[in-house]
Amino acid sequence: MSDRRLNPISNAELDRRWKATRAMMRERGLDALLMQNNNDWLGGYVKWFTDFPAYNGYPRTVIFHADDAMTVVDMGPAGGRRGFEGKHAIHRGVGDLITTPAFTSIAYTDGYQGELALGELKRRAYKRIGILGRGAMPYRFVTQIEQGLAGKTEIVDATEELDAIKAIKSDEEMVLIRRCAEMQDEIFARVCKKIKPGMRDNDITALAQYEGRLLGSEQGLFLGSSAPLGQPANFGDRYLQGRVLKEGEHFALLIENAGPGGMYTEIARTMVLGKATNDLLDGFESVKEAQTHTLSMIKPGVAARDIALAYDEYLGARGIGPERRLYAHGQGYDLVERPLIRADETMTIQAGMNLAVHPGYETPSQWAVICDNYLVGEDGPGECLHKTPKRVFEL
């Protein structure tokens, strides 16, 4: 294994994923799976199969063959082709790496990756292939494949079956998930020690990102904003983080970065540079209770949609309308992955899932939120993966 990789997973873990996938492919009579991602926040298919992320908006296409090493189409010089026979130290399991300089921002290159992928599929004369996450792929790419294989190869959607495999974490993946939560606890603790009046909101989130990189984080998002007490401090992204924090004000911080190895968890807490108001404290207690209520319903075999519907009943009994946000969901190589705790989800809860649970609500005077991760065991959620106390932090 190459020493250039920051936090590679084991060959054994990759083998486990490939074997599980090929077993599913045999059941569905699939000769290959086709996928493409272009970012490392919501681009987990490519990472899951290759331990190599898509990033920076550059498309990375993977053809996972039932009986051969993978074919990858990636950013690089036109006409580039390298044969690895599945033995490369970094591009593990890849037979051929084909390159082309295609950019999602340059319309006339839209067909470059599709042309190369189509050529590989035609050459092998497959009868039936599965596609993963069709809706996230560029329109031109999908139509090229569909039109180019029309009448020769049947194309089916294999996303549901692959998502079911990917949602159940292995022992090795669980170790990485725990490491991510531990890292985020330490990031939050370091921010609490260094946050001070006069810092811009961006300074605070940049500090969180910096500390995360030192602790092995590979990518992620850092949302937050400050506000006077009595006004909501929402989760603003970087372009909305220009405000200066003052003494006596509060800051809501969401840390959702991947840990060493690329697995995601996320944590959210509120900090006050002074004394919190009763309104802020009561709001936090309300979302803490809502989190506990949701956790009490999470058990193997329970439909995710039933948990969402029961949560709406819980909110209704307290005079709050139904949940319109995504307030709980799975995580792995994707910041948001299935199952979603939402009425339109078809999955049931299973042991081995990694769930982020983050109820929240906004009033004219506050944004109340909490976020933590849990691994589902045979009897329900285990202990909270984050050890940061569940409270408003008065600093």
Side-chain angles (χ1 to χ4, degrees), residues 216-238:
S217 175
E218 298 185 10
Q219 65 268 332
L221 304 175
F222 302 82
L223 307 183
S225 70
S226 61
L229 292 172
Q231 297 180 20
N234 302 93
F235 288 153
D237 210 336
R238 184 175 300 176

mmCIF file of all heavy atoms in Angstrom, residues 216-238:
data_model
loop_
_atom_site.group_PDB
_atom_site.id
_atom_site.type_symbol
_atom_site.label_atom_id
_atom_site.label_comp_id
_atom_site.label_asym_id
_atom_site.label_seq_id
_atom_site.Cartn_x
_atom_site.Cartn_y
_atom_site.Cartn_z
ATOM 1 N N GLY A 216 -6.376 15.197 11.205
ATOM 2 C CA GLY A 216 -6.542 14.149 10.202
ATOM 3 C C GLY A 216 -7.767 14.248 9.336
ATOM 4 O O GLY A 216 -8.016 13.362 8.518
ATOM 5 N N SER A 217 -8.558 15.326 9.461
ATOM 6 C CA SER A 217 -9.746 15.466 8.626
ATOM 7 C C SER A 217 -9.353 15.609 7.164
ATOM 8 O O SER A 217 -8.345 16.237 6.829
ATOM 9 C CB SER A 217 -10.550 16.691 9.060
ATOM 10 O OG SER A 217 -11.640 16.904 8.184
ATOM 11 N N GLU A 218 -10.178 15.044 6.279
ATOM 12 C CA GLU A 218 -9.871 15.059 4.859
ATOM 13 C C GLU A 218 -10.696 16.064 4.076
ATOM 14 O O GLU A 218 -10.250 16.580 3.055
ATOM 15 C CB GLU A 218 -10.051 13.646 4.283
ATOM 16 C CG GLU A 218 -9.089 12.652 4.931
ATOM 17 C CD GLU A 218 -9.137 11.270 4.307
ATOM 18 O OE1 GLU A 218 -9.771 11.102 3.253
ATOM 19 O OE2 GLU A 218 -8.531 10.355 4.886
ATOM 20 N N GLN A 219 -11.916 16.349 4.506
ATOM 21 C CA GLN A 219 -12.761 17.332 3.843
ATOM 22 C C GLN A 219 -13.969 17.606 4.722
ATOM 23 O O GLN A 219 -14.151 16.937 5.730
ATOM 24 C CB GLN A 219 -13.228 16.841 2.470
ATOM 25 C CG GLN A 219 -14.130 15.626 2.486
ATOM 26 C CD GLN A 219 -13.378 14.333 2.350
ATOM 27 O OE1 GLN A 219 -12.320 14.288 1.760
ATOM 28 N NE2 GLN A 219 -13.925 13.268 2.891
ATOM 29 N N GLY A 220 -14.774 18.587 4.348
ATOM 30 C CA GLY A 220 -15.982 18.810 5.126
ATOM 31 C C GLY A 220 -16.451 20.239 5.114
ATOM 32 O O GLY A 220 -15.884 21.103 4.441
ATOM 33 N N LEU A 221 -17.514 20.496 5.881
ATOM 34 C CA LEU A 221 -18.163 21.791 5.936
ATOM 35 C C LEU A 221 -18.208 22.293 7.374
ATOM 36 O O LEU A 221 -18.313 21.506 8.321
ATOM 37 C CB LEU A 221 -19.593 21.692 5.397
ATOM 38 C CG LEU A 221 -19.751 21.139 3.978
ATOM 39 C CD1 LEU A 221 -21.222 21.001 3.642
ATOM 40 C CD2 LEU A 221 -19.042 22.012 2.964
ATOM 41 N N PHE A 222 -18.162 23.627 7.520
ATOM 42 C CA PHE A 222 -18.167 24.249 8.837
ATOM 43 C C PHE A 222 -19.130 25.431 8.772
ATOM 44 O O PHE A 222 -18.848 26.451 8.147
ATOM 45 C CB PHE A 222 -16.756 24.714 9.219
ATOM 46 C CG PHE A 222 -15.747 23.607 9.227
ATOM 47 C CD1 PHE A 222 -15.152 23.195 8.051
ATOM 48 C CD2 PHE A 222 -15.420 22.951 10.402
ATOM 49 C CE1 PHE A 222 -14.233 22.150 8.033
ATOM 50 C CE2 PHE A 222 -14.514 21.909 10.405
ATOM 51 C CZ PHE A 222 -13.918 21.507 9.220
ATOM 52 N N LEU A 223 -20.280 25.276 9.389
ATOM 53 C CA LEU A 223 -21.335 26.271 9.313
ATOM 54 C C LEU A 223 -21.531 26.929 10.671
ATOM 55 O O LEU A 223 -21.403 26.271 11.717
ATOM 56 C CB LEU A 223 -22.645 25.633 8.861
ATOM 57 C CG LEU A 223 -22.614 24.802 7.574
ATOM 58 C CD1 LEU A 223 -24.007 24.306 7.249
ATOM 59 C CD2 LEU A 223 -22.029 25.583 6.413
ATOM 60 N N GLY A 224 -21.867 28.207 10.650
ATOM 61 C CA GLY A 224 -22.127 28.882 11.907
ATOM 62 C C GLY A 224 -22.269 30.372 11.724
ATOM 63 O O GLY A 224 -21.878 30.938 10.695
ATOM 64 N N SER A 225 -22.828 31.011 12.751
ATOM 65 C CA SER A 225 -22.920 32.468 12.751
ATOM 66 C C SER A 225 -23.139 32.945 14.177
ATOM 67 O O SER A 225 -23.535 32.180 15.058
ATOM 68 C CB SER A 225 -24.056 32.955 11.855
ATOM 69 O OG SER A 225 -25.315 32.633 12.418
ATOM 70 N N SER A 226 -22.855 34.225 14.369
ATOM 71 C CA SER A 226 -23.048 34.853 15.673
ATOM 72 C C SER A 226 -24.269 35.745 15.647
ATOM 73 O O SER A 226 -24.761 36.126 14.575
ATOM 74 C CB SER A 226 -21.810 35.680 16.032
ATOM 75 O OG SER A 226 -21.611 36.714 15.074
ATOM 76 N N ALA A 227 -24.747 36.102 16.834
ATOM 77 C CA ALA A 227 -25.877 37.026 16.946
ATOM 78 C C ALA A 227 -25.976 37.492 18.395
ATOM 79 O O ALA A 227 -25.527 36.799 19.318
ATOM 80 C CB ALA A 227 -27.186 36.350 16.532
ATOM 81 N N PRO A 228 -26.574 38.664 18.628
ATOM 82 C CA PRO A 228 -26.865 39.070 20.002
ATOM 83 C C PRO A 228 -27.871 38.102 20.619
ATOM 84 O O PRO A 228 -28.681 37.492 19.906
ATOM 85 C CB PRO A 228 -27.471 40.473 19.834
ATOM 86 C CG PRO A 228 -27.081 40.919 18.464
ATOM 87 C CD PRO A 228 -26.986 39.672 17.640
ATOM 88 N N LEU A 229 -27.817 37.940 21.916
ATOM 89 C CA LEU A 229 -28.835 37.147 22.589
ATOM 90 C C LEU A 229 -30.199 37.771 22.334
ATOM 91 O O LEU A 229 -30.360 38.987 22.374
ATOM 92 C CB LEU A 229 -28.547 37.082 24.089
ATOM 93 C CG LEU A 229 -27.292 36.289 24.483
ATOM 94 C CD1 LEU A 229 -27.000 36.445 25.971
ATOM 95 C CD2 LEU A 229 -27.457 34.824 24.126
ATOM 96 N N GLY A 230 -31.168 36.918 22.028
ATOM 97 C CA GLY A 230 -32.488 37.406 21.663
ATOM 98 C C GLY A 230 -32.721 37.433 20.168
ATOM 99 O O GLY A 230 -33.820 37.743 19.716
ATOM 100 N N GLN A 231 -31.671 37.084 19.389
ATOM 101 C CA GLN A 231 -31.788 36.931 17.940
ATOM 102 C C GLN A 231 -31.222 35.571 17.553
ATOM 103 O O GLN A 231 -30.282 35.089 18.184
ATOM 104 C CB GLN A 231 -31.024 38.034 17.203
ATOM 105 C CG GLN A 231 -31.533 39.430 17.443
ATOM 106 C CD GLN A 231 -30.727 40.468 16.685
ATOM 107 O OE1 GLN A 231 -30.043 40.155 15.710
ATOM 108 N NE2 GLN A 231 -30.819 41.723 17.127
ATOM 109 N N PRO A 232 -31.772 34.926 16.509
ATOM 110 C CA PRO A 232 -31.262 33.600 16.131
ATOM 111 C C PRO A 232 -29.872 33.672 15.511
ATOM 112 O O PRO A 232 -29.582 34.555 14.707
ATOM 113 C CB PRO A 232 -32.302 33.101 15.116
ATOM 114 C CG PRO A 232 -32.959 34.333 14.589
ATOM 115 C CD PRO A 232 -32.937 35.333 15.705
ATOM 116 N N ALA A 233 -29.013 32.738 15.918
ATOM 117 C CA ALA A 233 -27.694 32.551 15.309
ATOM 118 C C ALA A 233 -27.791 31.306 14.432
ATOM 119 O O ALA A 233 -27.680 30.184 14.919
ATOM 120 C CB ALA A 233 -26.621 32.387 16.384
ATOM 121 N N ASN A 234 -28.017 31.507 13.150
ATOM 122 C CA ASN A 234 -28.275 30.389 12.246
ATOM 123 C C ASN A 234 -26.979 29.762 11.739
ATOM 124 O O ASN A 234 -25.888 30.281 11.959
ATOM 125 C CB ASN A 234 -29.107 30.867 11.052
ATOM 126 C CG ASN A 234 -30.424 31.491 11.474
ATOM 127 O OD1 ASN A 234 -30.510 32.691 11.655
ATOM 128 N ND2 ASN A 234 -31.441 30.676 11.652
ATOM 129 N N PHE A 235 -27.130 28.656 11.009
ATOM 130 C CA PHE A 235 -25.975 28.011 10.377
ATOM 131 C C PHE A 235 -25.693 28.690 9.036
ATOM 132 O O PHE A 235 -26.272 28.324 8.013
ATOM 133 C CB PHE A 235 -26.235 26.520 10.152
ATOM 134 C CG PHE A 235 -26.234 25.709 11.412
ATOM 135 C CD1 PHE A 235 -26.971 24.540 11.485
ATOM 136 C CD2 PHE A 235 -25.500 26.095 12.510
ATOM 137 C CE1 PHE A 235 -26.965 23.767 12.645
ATOM 138 C CE2 PHE A 235 -25.491 25.345 13.678
ATOM 139 C CZ PHE A 235 -26.234 24.183 13.739
ATOM 140 N N GLY A 236 -24.826 29.686 9.035
ATOM 141 C CA GLY A 236 -24.456 30.339 7.800
ATOM 142 C C GLY A 236 -23.238 29.680 7.181
ATOM 143 O O GLY A 236 -22.339 29.235 7.890
ATOM 144 N N ASP A 237 -23.211 29.617 5.856
ATOM 145 C CA ASP A 237 -22.026 29.134 5.160
ATOM 146 C C ASP A 237 -21.010 30.273 5.051
ATOM 147 O O ASP A 237 -21.278 31.407 5.451
ATOM 148 C CB ASP A 237 -22.401 28.595 3.780
ATOM 149 C CG ASP A 237 -21.474 27.483 3.316
ATOM 150 O OD1 ASP A 237 -20.325 27.415 3.797
ATOM 151 O OD2 ASP A 237 -21.898 26.688 2.458
ATOM 152 N N ARG A 238 -19.841 29.974 4.475
ATOM 153 C CA ARG A 238 -18.714 30.903 4.522
ATOM 154 C C ARG A 238 -19.063 32.282 3.979
ATOM 155 O O ARG A 238 -18.630 33.304 4.520
ATOM 156 C CB ARG A 238 -17.537 30.315 3.754
ATOM 157 C CG ARG A 238 -16.289 31.153 3.827
ATOM 158 C CD ARG A 238 -15.123 30.458 3.160
ATOM 159 N NE ARG A 238 -14.829 29.193 3.800
ATOM 160 C CZ ARG A 238 -13.895 28.345 3.363
ATOM 161 N NH1 ARG A 238 -13.204 28.616 2.271
ATOM 162 N NH2 ARG A 238 -13.665 27.204 4.004
#
